[in-house]
Amino acid sequence: MYAEYFGLQQEPFSIAPDPRFLFMSERHREALAHLLYGVRGGGGFVLLTGEIGAGKTTICRCFLEQLPEPCRVAYIFNPKLTVGDLLRSICHEFQIEVKAPGPGPATIKDHLDPLNDHLLRSHAKGLRNVLVIDEAQNLSPHVLEQLRLLTNLETNEHKLLQIILIGQPELRGLVARPELEQLAQRIVARYHLDALTPAETRQYIQHRLDVAGLKGPLPFSDAAIQRVHALTAGVPRRINLLCDRALLGTYATGQARVERATVDKAAQEVFDTPTKGPTETGPSPLRERALYLGLGAAAGAVLVAGAAWAWWQGQQPVAAPATPVASLAPESSAAAAQTPANAPAAEPPAPPPPKASPTPEAPAATPGLPPASALIASADAAWAELSTLWGTPLSGAAPCDQAPRQGVQCYRTQRMTLHGLRQLDRPAVLALQLPDRSRGRVLLTAMSADAAWLQAGGQRWQLPLTQLADAWDGSYETLWRLPPGLRARVADARQTAAATWVGERIAALQAKGTVPSSAAQLTARVQAFQRSQGIDAEGVAGPITLMQLNLASGVDEPRLSAPRS
């Protein structure tokens, strides 16, 4: 609603986990380092706690993407379970078959024995097994004690299972209870994720606005930012809610930037926080502006502004802005996307990157998993169907060898997560095992907060993410578009003719005026970009980094946005 008014390409403070807006503060990086250290420690428990909205999910997503290669992960995000439920979930996540020897349901021992065998076989192959439990503050002491017993599964030298507990601050008090003393002694690393400092709050706001396309000065006064930190206590999710509403209120009243009074009013709306001090009354700035916006193609802008004013009327009336009303009236539909009139002029920006092509209309989706007969049996056939979404059909044998000649490259992994699907945000081939044990491939073409859309042979299915997680084995195959001019596989774009392109894209995203002129400068810029995306900051511009660069800079690739209802 307000993005064009502030010269933005999109709204910057959505609470959806968009990887383009990922901000890693120093304490976020420290938390991630503790998790990675704990995993490399070879057993026991790792504890990560933090307030609601502090960024624990962000850390977990980054952690899962940076696990060492020989790791298998079981991820449990609904820990309100009995001991039996927990063991069933763990065996299911590790794809361990459990058989009950008698006519009744499988017992705890029926789960523990094959789990132990699985861990021993994995250890013999040099593989590590990691169990991640989110929202772990909901675990009962009885279930936590069973988890401690799982860490007794060991060889003479190594624990066979690493357990990571992620939860809210009360998790620290839970594991400190006297009856869980043995568990507490097995915690090899722990970290409490504090909220952002006032300086980091400013950096966070600046970062999200920059990613959203801000070219001019920060549209928040110093007093407004200080008030944002005071009202949110530096919690990122609360910052998003408050700043989004404050920008809307600023747009609704025709002001050029967010002031402290606007933040107070926004807080009253989203946090039920009372405002202090009288507010001066005056004429409705949007009603006056509507006189200028009511002509020709700008009529649509009146409806949008009216909606914003309807929201803002729920607050106390505000004074008209100091900027003359006439100066805020756009002269054409294009003018609405410019920086507010009283903002200082910025240097001319680089030409915007191309936007992703819209996904063509598709047939209606059928609820539930696809039948076995609809699954794609051949890997080559799956690549061929996936490649049509990129407009570069790959057919026949060895499709990934053909791909670079058509400007795309294949990417494969066997340990993708639901978080990873969201972060890479691109259609992909997933391998499924259906309840009848039949196996095959489908295309993931869209995702929402709680559902996925699958495709195979022109047919489509919609199902909850929980159902997808049950059937999906973690394999993931996708394509990504190569930098312009490259027609060979890329392992590190810094070593190719695309190095300049990479530098230009990152410079534009980081709002830096100059393109790096040396290899060292380019590596430093790549590392800064990787840190902003939660990628291991090695400075190598490999496939994951280039995929995220394509995503952040708007390279024309298909995405996973959910179909419109």
Side-chain angles (χ1 to χ4, degrees), residues 13 94 162 221 337 439 480 533:
F13 292 105
F94 282 130
Q162 178 80 65
S221 69
R439 294 176 178 270
W480 57 280
Q533 299 294 311

Side-chain angles (χ1 to χ4, degrees), residues 130-151:
V130 179
L131 171 62
V132 180
I133 300 181
D134 206 351
E135 301 296 340
Q137 76 277 354
N138 294 319
L139 293 170
S140 69
H142 181 55
V143 173
L144 280 168
E145 175 61 16
Q146 179 60 57
L147 284 173
R148 181 191 70 81
L149 294 176
L150 289 181
T151 63

Side-chain angles (χ1 to χ4, degrees), residues 154 166 176 192 247 253 273 276 288 293 298 356 370 444 493 501 527 541:
E154 58 188 356
I166 300 174
H192 182 70
L247 285 171
T253 55
T273 302
K276 296 181 180 180
E288 293 185 27
L293 296 173
L444 172 70
W501 179 88
Q527 288 175 319

